[in-house]
């Protein structure tokens, strides 16, 4: 649901509430389980940058790919940036 995504973003960015990545992740996962594209992409960002989760490029790529398949346009750019970061490390 888009509402669950919005609550997750509130916690992620501290909009009206204190930043709380644990709460952000919980709400975003609820929305992502319902194939909310932005929530799936936002979870990818959390894994990419290690915000409230153990950083995992593999998990970030999986989530970005799913978000792309669901039509989330920002996930395309996020995937490109992640791929470039991985190549720079290799």
């Amino acid at each position: 649901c888009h509402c669950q995504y919005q609550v997750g973003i509130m916690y992620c960015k501290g909009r009206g509430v204190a930043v709380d990545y644990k709460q952000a992740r919980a709400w975003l996962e609820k929305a992502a389980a319902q194939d909310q594209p932005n929530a799936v992409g936002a979870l990818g960002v959390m894994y990419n940058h290690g915000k409230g989760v153990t950083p995992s490029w593999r998990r970030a790529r999986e989530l970005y790919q799913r978000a792309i398949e669901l039509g989330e346009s920002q996930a395309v750019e996020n995937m490109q940036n992640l791929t470039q970061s991985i190549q720079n490390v290799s």
Side-chain angles (χ1 to χ4, degrees):
C1 159
H2 189 71
C3 300
Q4 292 167 328
Y5 163 72
Q6 290 295 332
V7 173
I9 292 301
M10 286 173 55
Y11 279 109
C12 201
K13 298 190 177 198
R15 293 184 180 156
V17 296
V19 171
D20 183 336
Y21 292 118
K22 184 178 179 182
Q23 284 291 326
R25 179 180 173 195
W27 284 103
L28 291 173
E29 284 182 348
K30 288 178 185 186
Q34 299 173 54
D35 290 332
Q36 207 292 335
N38 299 67
V40 176
L43 282 171
V45 171
M46 290 181 78
Y47 278 95
N48 189 8
H49 298 287
K51 301 283 187 177
V53 297
T54 301
S56 171
W57 284 350
R58 176 173 286 147
R59 184 70 179 128
R61 285 178 67 156
E62 291 169 356
L63 289 162
Y64 289 155
Q65 185 60 46
R66 183 167 162 221
I68 291 167
E69 291 167 3
L70 292 169
E72 210 278 281
S73 59
Q74 181 61 46
V76 174
E77 183 178 332
N78 291 342
M79 178 71 91
Q80 290 170 342
N81 291 337
L82 175 60
T83 300
Q84 185 172 0
S85 294
I86 292 169
Q87 290 171 349
N88 290 341
V89 169
S90 299

